[in-house]
Amino acid sequence: MIVGGGPVGMAMAIELAQRGVTSAIVERRTQEHRIPKGQGLQQRTMEHFYSWGVLEKVRAARVLPPGFSLSGVTAYMNLNTEYWYSPPFREVVNRYYFQDSERVPQYLTERVLRDRMAELPGIESWIGWTVDAIAQDQDGVRVGMVAQDGKRQVLEGDYAIGCDGSHSIVRDQVGIERGGEKFDQLMVLAVIRSPELEAGLRRFPPRATYRAMDPELNGHWRFFGRVDAQDTFFFHAPVPSNTTKDNYDFLGLMEKAAGFKFHCQFDYVGFWDLRIAIANKYRVGRVFIAGDAAHSHPPYGGYGLNNGLDDVANLGWKLAARLHGWGSEALLDTYTEERQPIFLETAKYFILARIQADRDFLDRYSPERDREEFERAWKKSMTATPTRAMTYAPHYEGSSIVWGPPGSVCSAIGTHSFTARAGHHLPPQVLSSGRHVFEELGQDLTLLAFGADDSAVAAFETAAMSLGVPLKIVRDSLADGRKAYEARFMLIRADRYVVWVSDRAPADAARVIAKLVGR
């Protein structure tokens, strides 16, 4: 049972259905929520969409023309200042992935996923039902729910997954606690239409977001994001804690961020609390949580939906392996082991650290106090690039089912490389057939054997068969771009992470594979 029919819940149903696992998805909403969030889709997310059979439909749903970069404009005080820059964003690492990043409003992504669910057998949808009870024992899970007319129903299954957002009833029902950071700061989200704002932003190159840094914000942002290339924007900013839709001048606040006057039509005004919340574990018995139910944060950097879909890719194949008999209980435990550290570090080093860095910069430098000093520091910020020590490249080197380096950990911080490394995302390469290696990967475990002898490959085939583990063999020469892998043997798991790599055949192929499935 999947509780929550947003993008993470629907992706989970699709992932499981494609692996022969039936599910029921329960969603209380009966209407589409047209709030433009979750728009920045990272490269890994687009690889997931390829696996789920929706890649081209998601790209076709794009609202902004391709010329609009995912990079954003950063300006001092307001968007009409002489001090602004547009640093490179994640497009700079596109070449390390099979798919380029994309920008699509979440509600359009949801439509594509909903259509894909309808194409697949084995997915029941319970729309307009609210889950209010979870019970489990050694044999299964029971999910109690109520319809809008008061009718009650209980679903029974092997497992339940809470994809029901930051206020997750599933998480509360099974007693999972959360830690994190609360800023005691109310934020407004407004969706507007304004040709005048669009005209005022034409001074910049085509960009998706525009943020204004103001010392009074204490490191937080006022920022506009494009919904389309015409006149529709969303706007986030801190507001006083007693703010309502009727007692505040939101247009004045937006004009302060823009640095010029404009007229607009409001399509939506809502509020959210600035906080980071991370569950202390992602599993209790037969119940799991994913997406915002497991980790939620401000929309700084676009990590939310992407991390939720990474949760799906990580958990889905493990649940299917367990249900199909070749994965162990220990394999299911690695979901928390692998995924929780990623978001802990994402929050600490890529969200909180960014807020603190902006706060420190504006405390230290001011053109009013010392213009020359400020301009030197601003110029340095304009040309700054991520250091190797602070690159966002999640990996599972320290996982108990990965043959990673001794003493390694699972981390959000890594480096991008075309070398194959245990625990890291498989770098893209083209095979001698002209097909991409990602197009040849199996649904479960894949052995890439490049320039390998027949006996070594046969040993893996025999070992996989004896363990009942599905294994696809992809053979090729170790030539052309494949030399960059620096290895003849690579075991790739279902979510496209390398779990074992070597230039030589192992002494015991069965031992290598057994570890990868938690045995």
Side-chain angles (χ1 to χ4, degrees), residues 77-98:
M77 296 299 290
N78 62 64
L79 298 172
N80 203 29
T81 178
E82 62 181 299
Y83 300 116
W84 66 272
Y85 61 90
S86 183
F89 197 54
R90 295 194 188 98
E91 292 108 319
V92 298
V93 297
N94 274 345
R95 65 197 185 102
Y96 294 102
Y97 295 87
F98 174 45

Side-chain angles (χ1 to χ4, degrees), residues 194-225:
S194 174
E196 293 178 15
L197 176 60
E198 152 62 23
L201 296 178
R202 288 176 193 162
R203 66 187 293 247
F204 302 117
R207 293 293 183 265
T209 59
Y210 310 82
R211 72 181 182 109
M213 298 171 62
D214 189 324
E216 73 177 29
L217 299 179
N218 200 31
H220 305 142
W221 302 352
R222 295 188 186 110
F223 71 96
F224 294 93

Side-chain angles (χ1 to χ4, degrees), residues 310-377:
D310 277 345
D311 292 344
V312 171
N314 187 288
L315 178 59
W317 74 269
K318 295 174 181 177
L319 275 171
R322 183 62 179 145
L323 287 165
H324 293 324
W326 55 270
S328 69
E329 275 297 307
L331 179 64
L332 297 182
D333 287 332
T334 66
Y335 171 56
T336 295
E337 178 190 350
E338 292 181 344
R339 292 301 303 153
Q340 194 208 31
I342 301 300
F343 200 81
L344 280 170
E345 291 197 346
T346 300
K348 181 176 180 180
Y349 297 114
F350 297 96
I351 300 175
L352 290 173
R354 188 170 185 181
I355 293 172
Q356 185 62 51
D358 287 349
R359 181 185 302 147
D360 292 346
F361 181 92
L362 296 176
D363 286 346
R364 175 69 180 85
Y365 302 106
S366 167
E368 290 77 21
R369 290 196 304 267
D370 188 331
R371 179 174 293 273
E372 185 177 339
E373 180 188 45
F374 173 85
E375 290 182 346
R376 283 198 303 268

Side-chain angles (χ1 to χ4, degrees), residues 232-246:
T232 308
F233 297 84
F234 62 87
F235 175 74
H236 289 280
V239 292
S241 59
N242 63 345
T243 302
T244 69
K245 292 182 180 180
D246 303 316

